[in-house]
Amino acid sequence: MSHTIASAIDWAVKQLAASDSAKLDAELLLAYLLDKNRTWLKTWPDHILSQSSFAQFQALIKRRVDGEPVAYILGQQDFWTFTLKVSAATLIPRPETEHVIEYALEQLPVDGAVKVVDLGTGTGAIAMAIASERPGARVWAVDFSEQALAVAEHNRKKYQLNNMVCQQGHWLDDWSHGELDMIVSNPPYIADNDPHLHDLSYEPQSALVAEDHGLSDIRYITEQAVIYLKPGGWLVFEHGFEQGKPVRQILEQSGFQLVATIKDYAGLARVTVGRKAEL
């Protein structure tokens, strides 16, 4: 039996009935397979797929039905102004993380020669966005995982961000580049018994899970920020939607000022910030 673009997508949507983005997933996977875009699919709904192409499409849909995220199947994810390479060594960049970038850009001068570090960079998403929007900044993308750093370096080179450096390290343990104007981080913040981990089984657990109810890395980075931030420098965290209060307490107990939690578009607490006291 031959399948057109339209009938193949209809078949896939039925297989993906449990997904709230079934049609989008199907279109993204078929467009990827055919090396086309979604507009092409909509323009040529009666195009006949070869038997080989439909068999390959079935295999991709099976992976999605089994729970593998579309971004991992495609090996890429759109974020900010980029199409980023992703791998099993990195988290998938999510729209909520753009709140971190938006706040960071509000605090960083457009033409300033500032120094910024993104801790736990993964794909390099946050560091790349800041480096691209603030070309006068020096931005370090730090991650403990060599595999994740290789992905970040690939993405950095693709967009020729020469004011960004990928560096291996455990947070700021071996930091040697002087005081910083800003530290941003989307660190592990999920408790090891959190039921949501089941839905994230394909993503690297080391980038997700932290001790002390998910707060241990946030606490550790805050202690280092006290040392390495310039007076007046900013610390910006992404965290779980129920962690706004405890994260604010961690920053306040470490002497940070102007501590505040920012909500995402769904009204959930997502980002907490603080400013190191001036001398």
Side-chain angles (χ1 to χ4, degrees):
M1 176 182 176
S2 61
H3 288 272
T4 64
I5 296 288
S7 66
I9 290 174
D10 287 344
W11 169 84
V13 168
K14 292 176 183 176
Q15 307 307 307
L16 297 168
S19 171
D20 57 6
S21 58
K23 188 170 185 181
L24 174 62
D25 292 354
E27 290 177 349
L28 287 170
L29 292 171
L30 186 55
Y32 164 76
L33 176 65
L34 299 177
D35 196 22
K36 303 291 184 181
N37 57 39
R38 290 170 61 215
T39 300
W40 187 91
L41 301 183
K42 297 176 188 299
T43 304
W44 302 101
D46 297 327
H47 175 81
I48 303 292
L49 297 178
S50 68
Q51 289 186 345
S52 173
S53 292
F54 185 69
Q56 292 176 66
F57 184 51
Q58 287 178 303
L60 294 179
I61 293 300
K62 175 65 164 55
R63 290 169 64 183
R64 184 70 190 105
V65 169
D66 289 343
E68 186 173 355
V70 171
Y72 286 147
I73 299 173
L74 302 182
Q76 65 184 37
Q77 175 71 18
D78 289 340
F79 179 84
W80 201 250
T81 59
F82 311 114
T83 297
L84 298 174
K85 177 181 177 179
V86 301
S87 80
T90 68
L91 297 181
I92 299 168
R94 289 170 168 80
E96 305 88 71
T97 300
E98 295 193 354
H99 293 286
V100 172
I101 297 162
E102 290 166 355
Y103 188 85
L105 294 177
E106 288 177 6
Q107 309 309 321
L108 295 171
V110 174
D111 299 318
V114 293
K115 294 164 67 175
V116 180
V117 66
D118 170 24
L119 296 177
T121 196
T123 60
I126 294 174
M128 289 177 62
I130 293 174
S132 67
E133 300 289 345
R134 296 292 182 266
R138 293 177 64 193
V139 182
W140 285 266
V142 175
D143 206 293
F144 186 72
S145 165
E146 291 184 7
Q147 293 87 350
L149 271 185
V151 173
E153 178 64 9
H154 171 93
N155 290 327
R156 183 198 70 79
K157 286 182 176 179
K158 176 180 177 181
Y159 290 97
Q160 300 179 333
L161 293 170
N162 296 323
N163 59 330
M164 171 181 160
V165 176
C166 295
Q167 176 176 312
Q168 187 178 17
H170 179 262
W171 307 133
L172 293 172
D173 286 359
D174 301 309
W175 188 251
S176 61
H177 304 292
E179 289 187 314
L180 292 154
D181 295 276
M182 179 176 286
I183 296 169
V184 297
S185 185
N186 179 14
Y189 56 73
I190 301 177
D192 59 10
N193 60 350
D194 192 302
H196 295 99
L197 281 174
H198 176 73
D199 299 326
L200 301 168
S201 59
Y202 281 85
E203 303 197 51
Q205 299 299 290
S206 62
L208 293 168
V209 177
E211 297 178 353
D212 187 20
H213 307 288
L215 296 170
S216 60
D217 288 308
I218 289 174
R219 194 181 306 279
Y220 189 76
I221 292 168
T222 301
E223 292 170 357
Q224 293 188 319
V226 172
I227 300 169
Y228 291 109
L229 275 177
K230 293 178 180 178
W234 286 94
L235 177 59
V236 184
F237 282 120
E238 180 173 345
H239 53 70
F241 68 91
E242 296 178 327
Q243 293 176 317
K245 183 177 179 179
V247 175
R248 289 195 302 275
Q249 289 174 339
I250 290 170
L251 268 63
E252 289 167 350
Q253 290 166 2
S254 295
F256 280 85
Q257 301 176 342
L258 303 179
V259 175
T261 296
I262 300 162
K263 294 182 178 180
D264 63 18
Y265 298 125
L268 301 175
R270 186 62 60 185
V271 177
T272 292
V273 305
R275 189 170 187 241
K276 184 176 176 179
E278 297 276 7
L279 292 176

